[in-house]
Amino acid sequence: MIKESRQYKTYTFDSIVAAYSISEKSGAVGLVIYPKSRAHEVKIAETPVDSLVQVALAGDTASKGFTNGWSMHNSETTQTLTYLDQSVEENQQQISITTQMQDAKGNLVTHLLTWHKGYPVLEMQSRFENRTATAVWLENLSSFSMSQLSPFSVPNQPRTLSLTRFRSKWAMEGRLERHYIEDYQLEPSWKPSGGSVEKIGQVGSMPVRGFFPYLGVADEAHQVYWAFQLAIPTSWQIEAYRKQDDLIITGGLADYNYGHWRKSILPGDHFETPIARVTVGTGSQEAVNQQLATLTQASLV
């Protein structure tokens, strides 16, 4: 297994800790969140840092892992992203952390994390700015991408991590579906050179056709639970990806492979993704799902 040294920056938002990893070798930036009450148990693996933004441009070579046509995870552009700067802004209502990265062509990629004070939820979105002299076709830009799941578990311990999702169709409520990641073949092989992917999403303007734009991840051995939700009324996708010891969850607009989405970005122009909301907690997946809903409920008052 390839190991990689990294630096860390951590921020605490009441009950949630956001931990950024910066590879000392490649300059890649990764992100994981975990409950403040369990911070003393965290043991992040030394696998290569997986970028907190997934971005692909037309003409990119596919990533290694035999996932071409299946996933655009770790495209050529993503693999060249290097850390530039991180800044923090705070006012009476919120705290925002802005992380800036640059690809090999000089394009600026920004990840924004926002905490609205008093709510156990984090909002995330990404921004791509064309800093070249010619137009580029953007074919993938994630709203969030979280790696190192779970930072509490022994690597590859079976029947520890599970996924929760809700199936749906027109005029029907969500049907809960929960399985261990091994049921989706999301465990690494004896030679972790091939990636595994489990993707949910929908194409069109019916956001809950097929699945709700939500995914839950549970570390059942340690009773820690994550929940991810997209605020997207269009084609979307959420993807669970596994190649080495850590499970990675990525979500946002449907990419070119899945939704045939692409956007031309002129020199000097930029594109921002819709917002994703994420949270983490203890107790049960259902309790953490309720945490995720608090910010939405507040906006309806």
Side-chain angles (χ1 to χ4, degrees):
M1 188 69 67
I2 299 173
K3 292 189 176 182
E4 186 174 84
S5 58
R6 59 185 76 192
Q7 299 175 342
Y8 298 98
K9 292 187 176 183
T10 60
Y11 303 88
T12 301
F13 308 102
D14 280 354
S15 62
I16 299 175
V17 177
Y20 293 83
S21 304
I22 305 173
S23 169
E24 295 181 354
K25 179 181 179 181
S26 68
V29 186
L31 174 65
V32 67
I33 63 173
Y34 49 81
K36 177 183 175 182
S37 62
R38 308 293 288 274
H40 62 286
E41 299 176 48
V42 168
K43 43 180 180 293
I44 295 177
E46 294 180 333
T47 51
V49 173
D50 200 272
S51 179
L52 79 172
V53 177
Q54 293 293 319
V55 55
L57 301 178
D60 278 4
T61 58
S63 65
K64 295 181 179 179
F66 310 105
T67 58
N68 191 18
W70 193 16
S71 172
M72 300 185 81
H73 195 89
N74 281 340
S75 68
E76 180 182 4
T77 298
T78 299
Q79 292 184 67
T80 68
L81 291 179
T82 57
Y83 173 79
L84 287 179
D85 181 61
Q86 190 171 80
S87 60
V88 180
E89 293 185 8
E90 181 175 4
N91 57 38
Q92 292 184 339
Q93 289 77 38
Q94 64 186 41
I95 297 176
S96 296
I97 300 175
T98 301
T99 307
Q100 292 188 320
M101 295 155 285
Q102 181 176 272
D103 71 12
K105 298 176 182 177
N107 297 305
L108 183 67
V109 176
T110 303
H111 179 273
L112 179 65
L113 181 153
T114 301
W115 174 56
H116 298 272
K117 294 181 179 180
Y119 295 94
V121 183
L122 302 177
E123 289 188 335
M124 298 181 190
Q125 64 182 140
S126 303
R127 184 178 191 267
F128 175 89
E129 181 180 336
N130 182 0
R131 290 194 170 183
T132 70
T134 59
V136 298
W137 282 102
L138 185 63
E139 294 189 341
N140 183 36
L141 186 64
S142 63
S143 292
F144 75 93
S145 189
M146 189 168 298
S147 57
Q148 298 295 335
L149 297 172
S150 163
F152 302 99
S153 292
V154 175
N156 302 322
Q157 184 176 355
R159 304 186 72 79
T160 295
L161 299 177
S162 66
L163 302 181
T164 296
R165 55 194 190 178
F166 291 93
R167 290 188 176 272
S168 178
K169 64 179 183 180
W170 178 246
M172 293 186 68
E173 299 296 333
R175 177 175 292 176
L176 186 148
E177 181 180 281
R178 180 172 295 155
H179 295 290
Y180 289 107
I181 62 171
E182 291 82 11
D183 295 330
Y184 301 111
Q185 295 186 309
L186 284 168
E187 70 272 45
S189 66
W190 64 271
K191 183 179 184 296
S193 56
S196 300
V197 178
E198 179 66 22
K199 181 179 292 189
I200 62 172
Q202 73 87 30
V203 177
S205 59
M206 298 174 67
V208 297
R209 181 173 63 184
F211 292 95
F212 277 64
Y214 156 92
L215 188 70
V217 177
D219 181 339
E220 297 185 5
H222 297 85
Q223 295 187 317
V224 178
Y225 306 86
W226 291 262
F228 305 87
Q229 185 181 49
L230 299 173
I232 295 180
T234 59
S235 302
W236 61 269
Q237 65 183 44
I238 298 178
E239 182 178 285
Y241 178 91
R242 185 87 180 270
K243 184 179 178 183
Q244 298 201 43
D245 283 344
D246 55 327
L247 178 68
I248 299 158
I249 307 297
T250 303
L253 291 166
D255 61 27
Y256 188 71
N257 276 351
Y258 185 73
H260 216 62
W261 176 86
R262 58 169 20 179
K263 184 172 180 62
S264 178
I265 312 295
L266 298 175
D269 281 356
H270 70 273
F271 176 80
E272 282 188 359
T273 67
I275 288 172
R277 289 177 174 170
V278 305
T279 191
V280 65
T282 58
S284 69
Q285 187 70 67
E286 287 67 30
V288 173
N289 291 348
Q290 289 300 312
Q291 282 184 203
L292 191 66
T294 56
L295 200 55
T296 301
Q297 292 166 348
S299 67
L300 300 176
V301 175

